[in-house]
Amino acid sequence: MNRRDRFLLGCGPGAGAVLVIAVVWASAVTPGINQSSETISRLAAPGQPHAWILRTGLALCGVLSIAFGVGLLRAQRRGVFRWGVLVGLVVFGVSTAIIGLARDYPVRGGSEMGWEGAVHNLFARVAVYGILAAMAALVPAAAGRRPARVPAVVFSAVALVLVAAAGLFYPGVPPSFRGLVQRLALLIIFAWMAAAAVIARRAADR
């Protein structure tokens, strides 16, 4: 595996690291944030003193996710399902960047912010569909690569089930825990990306 491919695969863990740093940083400098009940969108809401931190983090996370999709495509080299992984990660990456650009709601009150809030919420859902598609496509894509078959399939299947369950049950979660559920889902997504990157690198080096 050449240096370019290693860099592209490293963009997966990098995307998670960038967003985690942005969330932690923005949370530390934004007063009155309840990590358990409020989603990370609140950190970038209009009127917040440091909204640029999360907005920048989301944009960078989106770009890195797309690069990671290209890295997985190059690492697998054959099979039709690898294109599904790429498309899913591109959808996730583009949607995540748009989420950072279109803010959700005013800092006071819970109402949506007109068209901008509608765009934000729409692409938040599209991002979930995109990452679920990438996880689902990686299961058959990885099954054809013997050195990485078992760990890649297991990690992808488990992550797929957990993230899908979080999205399915999110509307029924008590409001006081919705922020926590969202953060856990994001951690699962980025753990999957990191595991997929490591497995792909090891398989390519064998």
Side-chain angles (χ1 to χ4, degrees):
M1 178 174 288
N2 59 39
R3 187 174 300 177
R4 179 191 300 175
D5 291 341
R6 290 179 181 273
F7 171 78
L8 290 172
L9 287 176
C11 288
V18 165
L19 190 56
V20 168
I21 291 171
V23 170
V24 172
W25 183 10
S27 299
V29 297
T30 303
I33 292 296
N34 187 320
Q35 302 291 338
S36 177
S37 63
E38 295 178 325
T39 63
I40 64 172
S41 297
R42 177 70 72 174
L43 297 169
Q48 296 288 24
H50 305 285
W52 67 269
I53 298 175
L54 183 64
R55 300 184 77 184
T56 302
L58 286 167
L60 289 175
C61 176
V63 172
L64 291 171
S65 297
I66 295 171
F68 177 57
V70 176
L72 285 178
L73 180 73
R74 291 172 61 88
Q76 295 192 9
R77 300 189 181 280
R78 71 180 74 177
V80 66
F81 288 104
R82 69 194 183 111
W83 292 100
V85 178
L86 174 63
V87 171
L89 282 168
V90 168
V91 170
F92 174 76
V94 171
S95 300
T96 300
I98 293 175
I99 291 169
L101 297 175
R103 293 172 291 183
D104 189 7
Y105 35 60
V107 67
R108 293 181 181 177
S111 60
E112 291 186 0
M113 223 190 111
W115 69 268
E116 193 175 0
V119 169
H120 178 100
N121 290 336
L122 170 64
F123 280 95
R125 295 184 180 92
V126 173
V128 174
Y129 300 147
I131 200 65
L132 289 176
M135 291 175 176
L138 190 58
V139 172
R145 293 183 59 86
R146 185 171 296 276
R149 176 163 39 190
V150 174
V153 169
V154 170
F155 273 115
S156 294
V158 171
L160 175 65
V161 170
L162 291 177
V163 175
L168 182 63
F169 293 109
Y170 182 82
V173 173
S176 57
F177 293 105
R178 288 186 177 178
L180 180 61
V181 170
Q182 183 203 45
R183 286 163 174 78
L184 288 174
L186 288 172
L187 287 176
I188 294 169
I189 289 170
F190 295 126
W192 169 78
M193 292 172 72
V198 171
I199 293 169
R201 287 185 60 174
R202 290 181 177 177
D205 290 338
R206 291 183 181 180

